[in-house]
Amino acid sequence: MDLFANLWMGLSIALTPMNVLYLLAGAMIGMIVGIIPGFGPSAGLAILLPVTFGMDPVGAVVMLAAIYYASMYGGTITSILLNTPGESATVASTFDGYPLARQGRAGPALVMQAVASFVGGTVGVVLITLLAPLFALLARNFGPPEYFLLAMMGMLLLVVMVGGNWRLGVISALIGFALGTVGVDLETGQQRFTFGSAELIGGIDFIPVAIGLFGLGELYFSLWQGLHLSRTGSIVDYHRERRFWPEARDFIETRMTLVRGSLLGFVVGVIPGAGATIASLMSYSIEKSVSREPERFGKGAMAGLVGPEAANNAASAGAMVPLLTLGIPGSASTAVLLAAFLLWGLRPGPLLMSQNPEFAWGLIASMYLGNIALLALNIFAIPLFVWMVKTPYRILAPAVILVCTIGTYSVNGSIVETWLMFVAGIFGFFMKMFGFSPAALVLALVLGKLAEEALRQTLTISRGSFMIFLERPTSLWIIGITAAVLLVAPLLRRAQPRD
Amino acid sequence: MKRVFILAILALALGYTYFAFELSFLSSTGRLGPGFFPRVIGLGLIASCLYALAVEWRSGGTEAQERGLWGVAVRTALLSGLFVALLNVLGGLVAMIVFMLAALFMLNPGRVLQNLAVAFLLPIGIYVLFEFWLNAGIPQGMLPLPV
């Protein structure tokens, strides 16, 4: 009963005219972020964070969350029409999406991906509604040892499962932790690594680093690869097709795919470090293995498009569970969302739902509305997005640099932070080129203070003994789950494409 | 080049660890002090870099994967740095227009009208958004604008 009352309260908050406006703006921006190749949701969120400073906290977070999950919708449009995923979580959608478009079925493919994204996203939000309060209740028993282990679990899984080289992932994470130690030590008040600089006393701000690594770094890398020289002439012209809407058999054949993709995506999304990319690729592998016609996969099987789409949207919803209930982000995008929460004075964790119910339930309710809005946007605003896809990268690139720089400056009016963003951009370029993980660096920078505080508290409680992690049942559970996922990790990695 | 990058990180890690050992391991109350975590991180970073270097040396390098359009990437990075440097000198709006003109004529040559339109309209739009709507405060530069 409480559940419905809370959801009703959330809806009444989400449905205020200003919040609806922010939600629609976030959905639209997220779609655009998803469409631009080499520009993921982490970059979009980090760059647009300063834009939300003039808003009230609920409206700001509703808009940022909408950008986050809308980018999953947007990335698929280019996967289907251009054979170029707008972002990594939509790579699997190119496997059958583009062949469908080449066969003259771009319209049905676009509509089915919108429906699959809507179903995956909505199932994900329903599961958040049901499970988030339970997670929060469970997490009330968590102490410093469990928080330290959870932070480590997120880092470890991100390093092991995402990207090709775990050794470079570990280095990236350790650099993030090292940057997180700059500033005043909270327990003793002693300055660390500030070298007399007043600007460093408050520590290294997360926003310039994230904007630099994800915004500028990705952009320099894309230019280095020659993305500005590529032409968009090979867009499939879906206007000339006779049939825009899918046939009944498309829905009938993929109904179980939708269910499997949504449930799998949510479960993978909840695991810190796993995320939407792995969920979509796993879903593709599963659909191919359970299909009666596996030979059709890669040649235009609707299930090969629908499964990954449902999975990546459900995963992006699932990733909100550890963020909201434990305060532990499982990916770079949710790390930016965590930073946004903290910026607004909201501390995600077990107490969020009881201490700030308007905020927590307002956000969850807005996700229901956001998915409905995105379904409509995805079907009826396709021409607008196709027009945006045609905007050449050589014009987009300077515009992105402009927004990154001015956005960073506007956070604190600090030219030092703007230089920091620039340096992070150069560093991010090399990280990207050599296979390091900017996402692990950013996640470690966000989690660093929390992890250090939790570890020091844990060792104070245990008088310096690490055995405390094995003596507490909850800690043992977390260690067990981490070990189990690490054992499964090689299988998950195998689901990722080689190139 | 990848080896050079890892070596640079290793050098920074050595410096970081040196300063970490300057910090006290225990606080005055006998609890773990401000130097504990940085020491763990620093030593871990040194060990990881050495291991990555050893693996890299054994694999024989990645020079073939490092071929790309260096010229355009370096020029764009230099322009971005120049843009940051000009922010406090020319002021936000003028610096944005100057940067956009330079970047667009470099990346999108031959389209004068298109470049001029984008280079003026986009900065004005961003200026209005941040300065007036978000009240975020764009740098005014040495000669502030009359608006």
Side-chain angles (χ1 to χ4, degrees):
Chain A
M1 198 57 207
D2 265 0
L3 195 73
F4 290 109
N6 285 330
L7 202 56
W8 187 249
M9 175 190 67
L11 274 174
S12 66
I13 293 164
L15 277 170
T16 58
M18 279 316 282
N19 286 341
V20 170
L21 198 70
Y22 292 143
L23 177 71
L24 292 175
M28 197 70 186
I29 295 167
M31 287 286 298
I32 297 167
V33 164
I35 283 171
I36 303 173
F39 194 72
S42 323
L45 285 168
I47 292 167
L48 292 161
L49 190 54
V51 177
T52 61
F53 286 177
M55 304 174 185
D56 75 293
V58 179
V61 175
V62 160
M63 181 169 144
L64 289 169
I67 294 173
Y68 166 61
Y69 56 80
S71 64
M72 299 293 154
Y73 280 76
T76 318
I77 294 179
T78 51
S79 294
I80 294 171
L81 296 180
L82 258 176
N83 202 24
T84 306
E87 68 114 13
S88 62
T90 59
V91 167
S93 308
T94 58
F95 301 162
D96 282 288
Y98 189 65
L100 277 166
R102 301 289 296 173
Q103 290 163 17
R105 301 203 73 211
L110 287 167
V111 175
M112 285 305 289
Q113 73 85 14
V115 171
S117 300
F118 170 74
V119 172
T122 306
V123 168
V125 185
V126 170
L127 291 172
I128 291 181
T129 312
L130 297 173
L131 295 180
L134 294 177
F135 263 71
L137 209 62
L138 192 75
R140 284 191 183 182
N141 298 324
F142 285 9
E146 287 76 26
Y147 276 106
F148 175 73
L149 286 175
L150 278 171
M152 287 301 109
M153 177 187 177
M155 283 309 315
L156 199 63
L157 296 182
L158 183 74
V159 163
V160 171
M161 290 206 283
V162 181
N165 193 328
W166 67 267
R167 286 180 295 274
L168 303 181
V170 169
I171 294 176
S172 312
L174 288 170
I175 295 171
F177 279 131
L179 291 176
T181 59
V182 175
V184 172
D185 174 42
L186 290 177
E187 247 179 74
T188 60
Q190 196 177 332
Q191 288 184 28
R192 301 189 295 191
F193 309 105
T194 56
F195 307 108
S197 161
E199 294 270 357
L200 289 176
I201 290 174
I204 289 181
D205 195 0
F206 152 85
I207 297 171
V209 176
I211 295 179
L213 288 178
F214 296 131
L216 282 193
E218 290 273 355
L219 184 137
Y220 295 151
F221 186 70
S222 299
L223 289 173
W224 179 81
Q225 285 185 313
L227 196 61
H228 61 296
L229 300 175
S230 63
R231 302 201 175 271
T232 47
S234 58
I235 294 180
V236 176
D237 193 356
Y238 69 94
H239 281 296
R240 291 189 183 163
E241 293 165 10
R242 271 182 299 166
R243 284 175 183 270
F244 178 76
W245 298 100
E247 295 162 16
R249 72 180 165 94
D250 290 323
F251 289 98
I252 294 165
E253 279 176 12
T254 57
R255 63 190 191 284
M256 288 314 292
T257 304
L258 280 171
V259 176
R260 279 192 295 268
S262 303
L263 295 178
L264 171 83
F266 184 81
V267 173
V268 175
V270 168
I271 301 168
T277 306
I278 287 176
S280 61
L281 292 164
M282 277 180 73
S283 167
Y284 187 84
S285 298
I286 288 173
E287 287 313 316
K288 193 174 176 181
S289 61
V290 300
S291 172
R292 286 181 199 154
E293 300 165 298
E295 67 281 358
R296 278 182 58 206
F297 278 70
K299 294 172 188 160
M302 194 57 91
L305 172 68
V306 164
E309 275 308 299
N312 67 28
N313 283 274
S316 66
M320 297 291 277
V321 174
L323 176 69
L324 286 174
T325 59
L326 307 173
I328 301 286
S331 65
S333 310
T334 46
V336 184
L337 278 179
L338 174 68
F341 287 7
L342 298 175
L343 216 70
W344 296 114
L346 298 157
R347 172 85 215 170
L351 300 177
L352 181 76
M353 298 199 116
S354 53
Q355 287 180 348
N356 296 91
E358 310 84 15
F359 168 77
W361 288 101
L363 175 63
I364 291 172
S366 79
M367 291 173 76
Y368 283 98
L369 303 174
N371 277 297
I372 296 170
L374 280 162
L375 176 65
L377 262 180
N378 257 266
I379 293 174
F380 299 110
I382 289 172
L384 176 71
F385 296 120
V386 170
W387 174 74
M388 280 174 183
V389 170
K390 289 179 178 169
T391 307
Y393 196 71
R394 52 186 185 272
I395 292 177
L396 277 177
V400 171
I401 296 173
L402 206 69
V403 178
C404 286
T405 310
I406 297 298
T408 306
Y409 182 88
S410 69
V411 177
N412 292 315
S414 163
I415 203 75
V416 174
E417 285 185 358
T418 318
W419 277 115
L420 174 65
M421 181 249 353
F422 174 67
V423 173
I426 305 277
F427 193 70
F429 165 72
F430 286 111
M431 286 185 85
K432 185 92 183 151
M433 177 190 278
F434 299 133
F436 286 76
S437 168
L441 192 157
V442 167
L443 193 56
L445 178 58
V446 173
L447 289 178
K449 279 208 162 54
L450 185 147
E452 181 183 4
E453 202 183 321
L455 179 62
R456 280 164 74 175
Q457 283 173 351
T458 302
L459 293 177
T460 302
I461 295 167
S462 70
R463 295 171 191 266
S465 167
F466 282 90
M467 287 306 287
I468 189 171
F469 292 115
L470 302 175
E471 287 162 359
R472 294 167 66 103
T474 332
S475 297
L476 266 177
W477 267 105
I478 298 171
I479 292 172
I481 292 169
T482 311
V485 180
L486 284 176
L487 283 173
V488 183
L491 297 174
L492 299 181
R493 281 170 67 95
R494 217 170 289 164
Q496 297 182 50
R498 292 278 173 263
D499 49 9
Chain B
M1 197 159 172
K2 187 175 180 180
R3 293 172 196 167
V4 177
F5 188 63
I6 300 174
L7 271 172
I9 296 174
L10 177 64
L12 289 173
L14 286 168
Y16 176 86
T17 312
Y18 171 77
F19 286 110
F21 273 86
E22 299 267 289
L23 297 164
S24 47
F25 187 79
L26 292 174
S27 68
S28 53
T29 54
R31 292 179 171 193
L32 288 168
F36 163 68
F37 199 63
R39 287 183 197 191
V40 176
I41 299 299
L43 292 173
L45 199 48
I46 291 171
S48 315
C49 285
L50 287 174
Y51 182 52
L53 268 177
V55 172
E56 200 52 39
W57 239 281
R58 249 182 297 160
S59 69
T62 55
E63 271 70 22
Q65 296 162 19
E66 291 163 13
R67 288 193 198 117
L69 303 174
W70 282 98
V72 74
V74 170
R75 281 199 298 273
T76 310
L78 284 175
L79 270 181
S80 330
L82 193 67
F83 174 37
V84 179
L86 287 178
L87 272 179
N88 272 349
V89 182
L90 298 178
L93 182 59
V94 180
M96 278 193 276
I97 294 171
V98 170
F99 166 75
M100 284 301 281
L101 283 170
L104 283 170
F105 277 102
M106 180 186 80
L107 293 171
N108 192 32
R111 294 169 189 258
V112 179
L113 273 181
Q114 188 184 43
N115 290 348
L116 284 175
V118 177
F120 280 93
L121 292 178
L122 189 70
I124 290 170
I126 289 179
Y127 185 79
V128 170
L129 173 74
F130 278 88
E131 185 70 19
F132 298 111
W133 190 49
L134 300 171
N135 239 349
I138 300 263
Q140 291 301 308
M142 290 180 176
L143 291 170
L145 292 173
V147 285

